[in-house]
Amino acid sequence: MIKISEIGCFPKTIEEAKVQLVIGSRILSNEGIVDSYGHISVRNPEDPETFLQSRSLAADIVTLDDILVMDFEGNVLEGPEGARPYWENVLHGRIFAARSDVGCVFHGHPLEVHPFTVMPDMPPLPVKNSGGVFYNGYGYYDSPAGSDMTVKTVEEADDVAAALGDKWAVLMRCHGVTAASENIPQMIVDMIAMVQNASVYTDCLKMGITPKFCSPEEGLAYRTSHHAEKPLLRAWEYYVRRAKRAIEDIRDM
Amino acid sequence: MIKISEIGCFPKTIEEAKVQLVIGSRILSNEGIVDSYGHISVRNPEDPETFLQSRSLAADIVTLDDILVMDFEGNVLEGPEGARPYWENVLHGRIFAARSDVGCVFHGHPLEVHPFTVMPDMPPLPVKNSGGVFYNGYGYYDSPAGSDMTVKTVEEADDVAAALGDKWAVLMRCHGVTAASENIPQMIVDMIAMVQNASVYTDCLKMGITPKFCSPEEGLAYRTSHHAEKPLLRAWEYYVRRAKRAIEDIRDM
Amino acid sequence: MIKISEIGCFPKTIEEAKVQLVIGSRILSNEGIVDSYGHISVRNPEDPETFLQSRSLAADIVTLDDILVMDFEGNVLEGPEGARPYWENVLHGRIFAARSDVGCVFHGHPLEVHPFTVMPDMPPLPVKNSGGVFYNGYGYYDSPAGSDMTVKTVEEADDVAAALGDKWAVLMRCHGVTAASENIPQMIVDMIAMVQNASVYTDCLKMGITPKFCSPEEGLAYRTSHHAEKPLLRAWEYYVRRAKRAIEDIRDM
Amino acid sequence: MIKISEIGCFPKTIEEAKVQLVIGSRILSNEGIVDSYGHISVRNPEDPETFLQSRSLAADIVTLDDILVMDFEGNVLEGPEGARPYWENVLHGRIFAARSDVGCVFHGHPLEVHPFTVMPDMPPLPVKNSGGVFYNGYGYYDSPAGSDMTVKTVEEADDVAAALGDKWAVLMRCHGVTAASENIPQMIVDMIAMVQNASVYTDCLKMGITPKFCSPEEGLAYRTSHHAEKPLLRAWEYYVRRAKRAIEDIRDM
């Protein structure tokens, strides 16, 4: 089996993508970004018009044997017989379809970010340089009235992709966050930055003060320097280690 | 012994109900919903006019050998000799008596929800779709003046059941929460949703903003889709795994 | 060696008191009530004009071999050669001297309670029934101007004891909390109640609302019913179990 | 190998400094003061015009084999072949150059302190006696407009050192904290004090109250008494123990 330490930021084969997807899922769970719900996906390096994602399981449960290959309408092309994808797999597919610069999609419900899904007039502006990776802001999406707010159809998923536009994350009212990145290590680092930034900005708002924000230029400069392979892999190595310490069944990966 | 993974949402025998009750108690403790106090109960699948609950122990301590069978006035019908039930066992019994649609009762004191027990004019409205499972609101109960606020008599317990009405949870002034569900996995998922929703709504109130709430229709739609067996068991599997990782003596269950 | 499970609330010998002191210290550390600083003491059951306390060590480090017997001026009567007591051992001694109803003294710096040490006009009123164990309020103490705020002399310690009066806890400006109880299990339960109550009340104040408080009568009723041996030991059993799960070297105690 | 328990506050050799640096890095990570980013350094006891620091790794990953010796412009003098220092190693170097009383430098991004980096009109005044170790206040630094805010040049690092002046910490807008201390155990204790003080003061500000602060005289008195070797090592022993409990590969150190 390929070891996670042998894969850089971008997987080169389906096998590498599967290993990264399992470790990435466990990290997101171990760092408290997802819980029983929430999932990531990765573009298929061997066929970029398809993507890989686990069947419908909590991120902490996902193993190599649970990964499906799907097209951008969410149809399962490969995978264990009878395996059921996530309800919202199409949400991932439509973002891959709309954005050729995206290699990884995240959907989840981090509590620290949630207040900003219900206060559209107060977006989570960057108060940390790391939060500046979302330097061009967040999209905002509201689901059709009276629905259960999950995104199950191609049409709804296209609406989320349109709300995302050329940004790197979209907030969904009363629901959660969908984010995009170039690769899985970047997604981990950026989601933790989003959560930390939201937490600090919330603190500022609770104190009733207007912080000195990080400018879009500073955010873009931070994004550029910190999305290089070396800083990303330094952070990734740390999150892999923490996950392996906490979770027995991935220690040999 | 029956394995927890072989039981669905609804236990079919007393044996299955006991296993679910032990695992459910440990999960509530492991997820921080209960601590030294707080307990759940389950309707007896072999005699629906009785219910099962542990003798008086912290939820983290409960084993298969500690489970009592009781009637709806809290009289012990079966169980280890001399085993003492919880003071508030009757609170569970009277809710089973009043509500034939209820298969599981919870009573506890989660800190995140507690502020709402002392501010009756500001109920914990849903700001998350998952918090929408309490789409028809919360009941409110106040204990007789000068009491220690625990519910020890059939009369007081009937008052709590009346305050609950057709809702799924009742807030108790300066005391805690009593909640109802159809089964134990649903109770875990709903209590975690209640705690998370309270936490986010509290954040909004601290920032002084009025959030865009989840509507009752959206809440009911979410409740309906997410209380189906598959999504419940996906979440339940996750909480079981976390509890088994943290707690040695349930790993073989 | 005497097992902790064989000792009730009140130790009957020095040996029992030592075991309870070690376990109680570990629990306070494990529950986050103390960290590198903070300590408890217990009245000597074999000579009630003396008390037992560890030599100067973080609570998490304390073992049976570290316990000193001291008089109420803080003079060491028995203990390992050269062992240095805590700077503030006299604070414990003077409270035992002033209050014959006190069997255990705590001093520490829980963060949740700290804001109330610097806002004397806003004492931590009970918003939880468990917080009602401090039904007759908190004393308030300020140290002499320009000191390092630790209590090292008999005179200062007598001033803290006077500020405590007939209450069960005293807040110390910019410093922390000193609390009294009848026995160690009660101290654990009451300190956790204090921290939880402070946390919830702080939440209320941050939301700008005036909660419906727990009345002194309700608090006293709660204190009376929950300080009986059975409810105390049920909670104590839980905290012992959590400490043993987390801390290897006390598992056989 | 030298055991950490055999080294006091001040290392006497490079070997001792390396052991302290590894343990100190792990403690900072284990206590949540740093995560994937953030680092400390120590003045070389064998050549005080140089300093020791890990190559570019998350603090949780650092081992004895990763330590570099560098001059105060950040040039690597000794270390594993090809080892890359942190981008911001020069930040450490220029503070050692400017301050002969400094034996240890910290740079990191603790979330609790972060709000104060974006509200320069509201510095983190001491509300705890332990927070009084920063009795003469915090410096404030802003990076050149449009940069990624990391400090990579001697000139920028000199500006940070100038902003630090004779204080013990400097806040950096939207970025984090750089702190100075005499030795590594003192740095651990002081950084935890800074985080705890910021957390409590933030609570006060959220409640809209003006706390009774710790005076500079009280802070200095606390700093003097608690920076003696015995109280520092008592706290240090506790943090070492917690780190060893959590992190397998340092248990024999």
Side-chain angles (χ1 to χ4, degrees):
Chain A
M1 195 173 70
I2 301 144
K3 293 269 184 186
I4 188 66
S5 60
E6 296 163 9
I7 309 170
C9 289
F10 291 95
K12 286 168 291 296
T13 63
I14 286 186
E15 274 325 290
E16 289 192 353
K18 284 186 178 180
V19 171
Q20 232 191 24
L21 203 48
V22 169
I23 298 293
S25 298
R26 303 303 188 91
I27 289 173
L28 284 169
S29 189
N30 190 50
E31 299 297 332
I33 309 294
V34 300
D35 51 19
S36 59
Y37 303 119
H39 26 76
I40 51 170
S41 59
V42 63
R43 193 182 287 269
N44 185 351
E46 300 187 14
D47 176 2
E49 294 301 306
T50 65
F51 72 103
L52 284 81
Q53 186 173 41
S54 169
R55 65 189 178 92
S56 182
L57 288 172
D60 186 52
I61 310 278
V62 171
T63 71
L64 291 172
D65 296 333
D66 298 308
I67 309 298
L68 312 177
V69 179
M70 290 174 282
D71 68 22
F72 293 163
E73 278 77 42
N75 301 302
V76 177
L77 306 176
E78 286 174 47
E81 198 177 306
R84 206 168 41 103
Y86 294 112
W87 279 345
E88 293 178 304
N89 68 337
V90 69
L91 173 58
H92 296 251
R94 299 320 295 161
I95 290 173
F96 285 120
R99 289 276 298 271
S100 61
D101 57 339
V102 166
C104 173
V105 176
F106 165 89
H107 175 69
H109 324 91
L111 290 189
E112 296 86 347
V113 182
H114 196 91
F116 297 97
T117 76
V118 290
M119 34 188 236
D121 299 332
M122 215 177 269
L125 296 173
V127 289
K128 282 192 99 231
N129 48 9
S130 60
V133 296
F134 301 96
Y135 67 98
N136 57 346
Y138 291 74
Y140 192 79
Y141 171 81
D142 196 354
S143 47
S147 87
D148 78 348
M149 302 190 143
T150 55
V151 175
K152 293 175 187 158
T153 68
V154 169
E155 290 69 29
E156 286 169 343
D158 279 336
D159 288 345
V160 178
L164 176 66
D166 65 349
K167 300 182 174 65
W168 295 99
V170 53
L171 303 173
M172 304 165 81
R173 187 180 66 88
C174 289
H175 179 180
V177 178
T178 301
S181 70
E182 293 162 273
N183 55 63
I184 290 180
Q186 193 187 106
M187 180 59 83
I188 302 295
V189 168
D190 287 359
M191 281 309 304
I192 288 170
M194 185 197 289
V195 161
Q196 292 186 340
N197 188 78
S199 173
V200 172
Y201 185 35
T202 301
D203 274 348
C204 293
L205 292 170
K206 287 175 182 172
M207 288 187 270
I209 65 112
T210 302
K212 291 181 85 107
F213 294 109
C214 180
S215 73
E217 292 72 30
E218 289 169 330
L220 179 55
Y222 184 95
R223 181 176 177 96
T224 304
S225 63
H226 285 72
H227 279 182
E229 192 171 49
K230 281 184 182 173
L232 275 188
L233 290 183
R234 171 175 145 206
W236 173 247
E237 184 186 9
Y238 165 73
Y239 294 115
V240 170
R241 182 184 181 110
R242 278 167 60 89
K244 288 192 174 185
R245 191 178 285 150
I247 308 173
E248 203 173 350
D249 72 300
I250 59 168
R251 278 182 204 149
D252 293 333
M253 290 182 74
Chain B
M1 194 172 72
I2 300 144
K3 293 268 185 187
I4 187 66
S5 61
E6 296 163 8
I7 309 170
C9 289
F10 291 96
K12 285 168 293 294
T13 64
I14 287 185
E15 274 325 290
E16 290 191 353
K18 284 186 178 180
V19 172
Q20 231 189 25
L21 203 48
V22 169
I23 299 292
S25 298
R26 303 303 188 92
I27 290 173
L28 284 169
S29 189
N30 190 50
E31 299 297 333
I33 310 294
V34 301
D35 50 19
S36 60
Y37 303 118
H39 26 76
I40 52 170
S41 59
V42 63
R43 193 182 286 272
N44 185 350
E46 300 186 15
D47 176 3
E49 294 301 307
T50 65
F51 73 102
L52 285 81
Q53 186 173 42
S54 169
R55 65 190 179 90
S56 182
L57 287 173
D60 186 52
I61 310 279
V62 171
T63 71
L64 291 172
D65 296 333
D66 298 308
I67 309 299
L68 312 177
V69 180
M70 290 174 282
D71 69 22
F72 292 162
E73 278 77 41
N75 301 301
V76 177
L77 306 177
E78 287 174 46
E81 199 176 304
R84 204 167 44 102
Y86 294 111
W87 279 345
E88 294 179 304
N89 69 336
V90 68
L91 174 57
H92 296 251
R94 299 319 296 161
I95 290 173
F96 285 120
R99 288 278 297 271
S100 61
D101 57 338
V102 166
C104 173
V105 176
F106 165 90
H107 175 70
H109 324 91
L111 290 189
E112 295 88 345
V113 182
H114 196 91
F116 298 98
T117 76
V118 290
M119 33 188 237
D121 299 332
M122 215 177 269
L125 296 173
V127 290
K128 283 192 98 232
N129 48 9
S130 59
V133 296
F134 300 97
Y135 67 98
N136 57 346
Y138 291 75
Y140 192 79
Y141 171 80
D142 196 354
S143 47
S147 87
D148 77 349
M149 302 191 142
T150 54
V151 176
K152 293 175 187 159
T153 68
V154 168
E155 291 68 29
E156 286 169 343
D158 279 337
D159 287 345
V160 179
L164 177 65
D166 64 349
K167 300 182 173 67
W168 296 99
V170 53
L171 304 173
M172 304 166 81
R173 186 178 69 86
C174 289
H175 179 179
V177 178
T178 300
S181 70
E182 293 161 274
N183 55 63
I184 290 179
Q186 192 187 106
M187 180 59 83
I188 302 295
V189 168
D190 288 1
M191 281 309 303
I192 288 170
M194 184 197 289
V195 162
Q196 293 186 340
N197 189 78
S199 173
V200 173
Y201 185 34
T202 301
D203 274 348
C204 292
L205 292 170
K206 288 176 182 172
M207 288 186 271
I209 66 113
T210 303
K212 292 183 84 106
F213 294 110
C214 178
S215 73
E217 292 71 31
E218 288 169 330
L220 179 55
Y222 185 95
R223 181 176 176 95
T224 303
S225 63
H226 285 73
H227 279 181
E229 193 171 49
K230 281 185 182 172
L232 276 188
L233 291 182
R234 171 175 145 205
W236 172 248
E237 184 186 9
Y238 165 74
Y239 293 115
V240 170
R241 181 184 182 110
R242 277 167 60 90
K244 288 193 174 185
R245 191 178 284 151
I247 308 173
E248 202 173 351
D249 72 299
I250 58 168
R251 279 185 201 145
D252 292 333
M253 290 183 72
Chain C
M1 194 174 70
I2 300 143
K3 293 269 186 185
I4 187 66
S5 60
E6 295 162 10
I7 310 171
C9 288
F10 292 95
K12 287 168 291 295
T13 63
I14 287 186
E15 274 325 291
E16 289 191 353
K18 284 186 178 180
V19 172
Q20 231 189 25
L21 203 48
V22 169
I23 298 293
S25 298
R26 304 303 188 92
I27 289 173
L28 284 169
S29 189
N30 191 50
E31 299 297 332
I33 310 294
V34 300
D35 50 20
S36 59
Y37 304 119
H39 26 76
I40 51 170
S41 59
V42 64
R43 194 183 285 272
N44 185 349
E46 301 186 14
D47 176 2
E49 294 302 306
T50 65
F51 73 101
L52 285 80
Q53 187 173 40
S54 169
R55 65 190 178 91
S56 182
L57 287 173
D60 186 52
I61 310 277
V62 172
T63 71
L64 291 172
D65 296 332
D66 298 309
I67 310 296
L68 313 176
V69 180
M70 290 173 283
D71 68 24
F72 293 162
E73 279 76 42
N75 301 301
V76 177
L77 307 176
E78 286 174 47
E81 199 178 304
R84 204 167 42 101
Y86 294 111
W87 281 344
E88 294 179 304
N89 68 336
V90 69
L91 174 58
H92 295 252
R94 299 321 295 162
I95 290 172
F96 285 120
R99 288 278 298 270
S100 62
D101 56 339
V102 165
C104 173
V105 176
F106 165 89
H107 175 70
H109 324 90
L111 290 189
E112 297 86 346
V113 183
H114 196 91
F116 297 98
T117 76
V118 290
M119 33 188 237
D121 299 332
M122 216 177 267
L125 296 172
V127 291
K128 284 193 96 230
N129 48 9
S130 60
V133 297
F134 301 96
Y135 67 98
N136 58 347
Y138 291 75
Y140 191 78
Y141 171 81
D142 197 353
S143 47
S147 87
D148 78 347
M149 302 190 141
T150 55
V151 176
K152 293 175 187 160
T153 68
V154 168
E155 291 68 31
E156 287 169 342
D158 279 337
D159 287 345
V160 178
L164 176 66
D166 65 349
K167 300 183 173 66
W168 296 98
V170 52
L171 304 173
M172 304 166 81
R173 186 179 67 87
C174 287
H175 179 179
V177 178
T178 301
S181 70
E182 293 162 274
N183 54 63
I184 290 180
Q186 193 187 106
M187 180 58 82
I188 302 295
V189 168
D190 287 1
M191 280 310 304
I192 288 170
M194 185 197 289
V195 162
Q196 292 186 341
N197 188 77
S199 172
V200 172
Y201 185 35
T202 301
D203 275 348
C204 292
L205 291 170
K206 288 175 182 172
M207 287 186 272
I209 66 114
T210 302
K212 291 182 85 107
F213 293 110
C214 178
S215 73
E217 293 72 30
E218 289 168 331
L220 179 55
Y222 185 94
R223 182 176 176 95
T224 304
S225 63
H226 285 71
H227 279 182
E229 192 171 48
K230 281 185 180 172
L232 276 188
L233 290 182
R234 170 175 146 207
W236 173 248
E237 184 186 9
Y238 165 74
Y239 294 115
V240 170
R241 180 184 183 109
R242 277 167 60 89
K244 288 193 173 186
R245 191 178 284 151
I247 308 173
E248 202 173 350
D249 73 297
I250 59 167
R251 278 183 204 146
D252 293 332
M253 291 183 72
Chain D
M1 194 173 70
I2 300 143
K3 292 269 186 186
I4 188 66
S5 60
E6 296 162 9
I7 310 171
C9 288
F10 291 95
K12 286 167 292 294
T13 62
I14 287 187
E15 274 325 290
E16 289 191 353
K18 284 186 177 179
V19 171
Q20 231 189 26
L21 203 47
V22 169
I23 298 292
S25 298
R26 305 302 187 92
I27 289 173
L28 284 169
S29 189
N30 190 49
E31 300 296 333
I33 309 294
V34 301
D35 50 20
S36 59
Y37 303 119
H39 26 76
I40 51 170
S41 59
V42 64
R43 193 182 288 271
N44 184 351
E46 302 186 14
D47 176 2
E49 294 301 306
T50 65
F51 72 102
L52 285 81
Q53 185 173 41
S54 169
R55 64 188 179 94
S56 181
L57 287 173
D60 186 52
I61 310 278
V62 172
T63 71
L64 292 173
D65 297 333
D66 298 309
I67 310 298
L68 312 178
V69 180
M70 290 174 282
D71 68 23
F72 293 163
E73 280 76 41
N75 301 301
V76 177
L77 306 176
E78 286 174 47
E81 199 177 305
R84 205 168 41 104
Y86 295 111
W87 280 344
E88 294 179 305
N89 68 336
V90 69
L91 174 58
H92 296 251
R94 299 320 295 162
I95 289 173
F96 286 120
R99 288 276 299 270
S100 62
D101 58 338
V102 166
C104 173
V105 177
F106 165 89
H107 175 69
H109 324 90
L111 290 189
E112 296 86 345
V113 182
H114 196 90
F116 297 98
T117 76
V118 290
M119 32 188 238
D121 299 331
M122 215 178 268
L125 296 173
V127 290
K128 284 192 96 231
N129 48 9
S130 60
V133 296
F134 301 96
Y135 67 98
N136 57 347
Y138 291 75
Y140 192 78
Y141 171 80
D142 197 353
S143 47
S147 86
D148 77 348
M149 302 190 143
T150 54
V151 176
K152 293 175 188 159
T153 68
V154 169
E155 291 68 31
E156 287 169 343
D158 278 336
D159 287 345
V160 178
L164 176 66
D166 65 349
K167 300 182 173 68
W168 296 99
V170 52
L171 304 173
M172 304 165 81
R173 186 180 66 87
C174 288
H175 179 181
V177 178
T178 300
S181 70
E182 293 162 273
N183 55 63
I184 290 181
Q186 192 188 105
M187 180 59 83
I188 302 296
V189 168
D190 288 0
M191 281 309 304
I192 288 170
M194 185 198 289
V195 162
Q196 291 186 342
N197 188 78
S199 172
V200 173
Y201 185 36
T202 302
D203 275 347
C204 293
L205 292 170
K206 288 176 182 172
M207 288 187 271
I209 65 114
T210 302
K212 291 181 86 105
F213 294 109
C214 179
S215 74
E217 292 72 30
E218 289 169 331
L220 179 56
Y222 184 95
R223 182 176 176 95
T224 304
S225 63
H226 285 71
H227 279 182
E229 192 171 50
K230 280 185 183 174
L232 276 189
L233 290 182
R234 170 175 147 208
W236 173 248
E237 184 186 9
Y238 165 73
Y239 294 115
V240 170
R241 181 184 181 109
R242 277 167 59 90
K244 287 193 174 185
R245 191 178 284 151
I247 308 173
E248 203 173 350
D249 73 299
I250 59 167
R251 278 183 203 146
D252 293 333
M253 290 182 74

